[in-house]
């Protein structure tokens, strides 16, 4: 079973989720999305797997959110996705993907639903 985690090593929830996977004997493919952001196509796939709209995956407390006026309801989904690709810090983390399903590791145990 291939498992991928969109990981930020500086985030405690991301580290906890990675440790949980490893405790379960899973050696996931780790994507440090801050240095290797997803493409538009990949982020769109992830949103579909999460059953989320782009704004729901956005970290609204980040300065990039405010600085780029991303709270503007007139922005299209494509514009929001582009903002997350341009500023990957805006993507909620961690995200675990396997078997065509995805979950956000908040709390970390929520990813166990798809394993």
């Amino acid at each position: 079973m291939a498992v991928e985690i969109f990981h930020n090593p500086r985030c405690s929830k991301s580290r906890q989720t990675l440790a949980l996977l490893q405790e379960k004997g899973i050696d996931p493919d780790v994507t440090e999305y801050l240095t290797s952001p997803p493409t538009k196509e990949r982020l769109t796939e992830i949103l579909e797997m999460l059953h989320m709209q782009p704004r729901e995956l956005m970290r609204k407390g980040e300065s990039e959110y405010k600085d780029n006026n991303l709270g503007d309801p007139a922005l299209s989904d494509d514009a929001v996705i582009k903002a997350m690709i341009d500023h990957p810090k805006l993507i909620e983390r961690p995200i675990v993907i396997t078997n065509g399903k995805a979950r956000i590791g908040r709390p970390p145990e929520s990813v166990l639903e798809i394993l």
Side-chain angles (χ1 to χ4, degrees), residues 15-69:
R15 290 191 309 269
Q16 291 169 10
T17 301
L18 178 58
L20 177 64
L21 293 172
Q22 292 167 335
E23 287 169 14
K24 297 290 184 185
I26 297 167
D27 184 23
D29 292 326
V30 177
T31 300
E32 291 191 20
Y33 68 93
L34 293 179
T35 55
S36 298
T39 63
K40 177 183 178 186
E41 294 77 16
R42 182 66 171 145
L43 189 54
T44 300
E45 289 173 1
I46 292 167
L47 285 162
E48 289 173 10
M49 287 185 268
L50 288 167
H51 306 288
M52 294 177 87
Q53 296 300 311
R55 288 182 188 278
E56 295 174 293
L57 189 60
M58 223 179 215
R59 296 175 57 85
K60 296 169 181 68
E62 300 294 342
S63 60
E64 291 84 350
Y65 182 84
K66 296 172 187 82
D67 294 346
N68 292 287
N69 196 29

Side-chain angles (χ1 to χ4, degrees), residues 1-2 11 19 24 31 38 54 60 67 70 84 91-92 100 103 106-107:
M1 165 175 60
C11 170
K24 297 290 184 185
T31 300
K60 296 169 181 68
D67 294 346
L70 297 173
M84 286 191 279
I91 301 171
E92 187 58 80
R103 290 289 183 277
R106 291 185 175 269

Side-chain angles (χ1 to χ4, degrees), residues 1-4 42 49 96-102 113-115:
M1 165 175 60
V3 177
E4 180 180 13
R42 182 66 171 145
M49 287 185 268
V96 173
I97 303 163
T98 188
N99 298 321
K101 297 178 183 176
E113 298 170 0
I114 62 171
L115 299 178

